[in-house]
Amino acid sequence: VRDVATGRSCGSRGDSESHRQWKEKVLKILAEIQAPLSLLMLRLCNWVLLKLLNHLFFSVQLHQGQLEMVLRAARMPNVPLVFLSMHKSQLDGLLLSFLLFSQGLGVPRVTVGSQLYSPRLRALLSRLGGIFLPSRMEQMPSDWDEELPGAVLATYVKEVLRSRQPLLIFLEEPSVTLCLSAPAREWLALVYQAMRDGAVPDVLLVPVGIAYDVAP
């Protein structure tokens, strides 16, 4: 991040002023990507989600074999978990976060696709673990490599993996199934870059999924 900012600030005004401006830009980009988790919001959302599930579905069944596989993967030392999932409905992120949290696996950072969200909903999802591509990258996903948003996002993903926070990547958009989405390509490339740069020695990819008799 510093290298990108330094290269961009050549020929600008004094070093201290330039440093302050770029620090403000970095913090603004980071705020677009994520927000600190709120345990109060998480507990409240879990309570509301339980009520919602009772009204939407006759039952919710947890596959014990898959759960055991996930728990076994979580016990591997010093290897970050990256969950990969199809995307059947807009509830998938909340449901999978709730299930993983209820099984003692922590709150995953959940990649949120390119759908348009109101600022309030985006802020709420961020407090619940949602992470977003910076707005400039959503608009120009192909040429961000040498830009500040790409550098900040790449560094953020490295820190998530290094601190062993679970990461949940949805491979498709709910409206376009069986097709790898553009945001998913970006997130997978960032995970690969983190391994290639030596931020983490290895990553454990764990498939998870939700099936509905009728998708809500």
Side-chain angles (χ1 to χ4, degrees):
V1 173
R2 186 182 298 112
D3 290 343
V4 173
T6 303
R8 286 280 182 143
S9 60
C10 290
S12 61
R13 292 180 293 175
D15 291 341
S16 60
E17 178 68 15
S18 176
H19 176 77
R20 184 186 63 80
Q21 290 177 354
W22 282 108
K23 184 175 181 181
E24 290 177 356
K25 290 183 179 180
V26 167
L27 292 176
K28 183 178 179 181
I29 294 168
L30 187 61
E32 286 186 356
I33 298 172
Q34 61 95 49
L37 295 174
S38 169
L39 290 179
L40 177 61
M41 296 290 290
L42 284 165
R43 293 191 178 100
L44 179 62
C45 182
N46 286 340
W47 179 80
V48 172
L49 193 57
L50 280 174
K51 300 292 184 182
L52 180 64
L53 291 177
N54 288 330
H55 285 84
L56 282 179
F57 306 112
F58 289 114
S59 66
V60 177
Q61 300 176 2
L62 190 60
H63 194 290
Q64 293 299 324
Q66 189 179 50
L67 176 61
E68 178 56 35
M69 178 190 71
V70 172
L71 294 175
R72 187 166 63 248
R75 288 193 290 268
M76 292 189 64
N78 302 321
V79 180
L81 293 179
V82 177
F83 298 107
L84 303 178
S85 179
M86 310 299 275
H87 210 176
K88 302 301 182 184
S89 87
Q90 300 290 357
L91 281 179
D92 288 359
L94 290 174
L95 283 170
L96 285 172
S97 294
F98 168 71
L99 291 173
L100 295 171
F101 182 61
S102 67
Q103 297 301 316
L105 295 174
V107 181
R109 288 293 185 170
V110 183
T111 62
V112 182
S114 57
Q115 304 97 331
L116 294 177
Y117 293 97
S118 68
R120 287 185 178 181
L121 181 56
R122 185 166 176 142
L124 173 62
L125 293 175
S126 295
R127 300 290 280 180
L128 297 175
I131 55 177
F132 299 79
L133 293 175
S135 55
R136 196 177 306 175
M137 289 178 59
E138 290 177 350
Q139 297 163 8
M140 300 179 298
S142 59
D143 59 352
W144 58 267
D145 291 283
E146 296 182 1
E147 299 293 328
L148 189 61
V152 174
L153 182 62
T155 304
Y156 172 74
V157 171
K158 290 176 183 178
E159 290 302 317
V160 168
L161 296 175
R162 189 180 288 122
S163 61
R164 297 197 64 205
Q165 295 182 61
L167 179 63
L168 171 59
I169 299 176
F170 286 107
L171 301 178
E172 59 191 13
E173 300 288 351
S175 56
V176 186
T177 58
L178 302 180
C179 180
L180 188 64
S181 67
R185 292 178 189 273
E186 300 291 349
W187 291 111
L188 291 172
L190 290 164
V191 171
Y192 172 73
Q193 180 182 346
M195 287 190 57
R196 185 188 63 192
D197 294 346
V200 289
D202 199 2
V203 170
L204 197 59
L205 302 179
V206 182
V208 295
I210 294 179
Y212 302 94
D213 290 335
V214 178

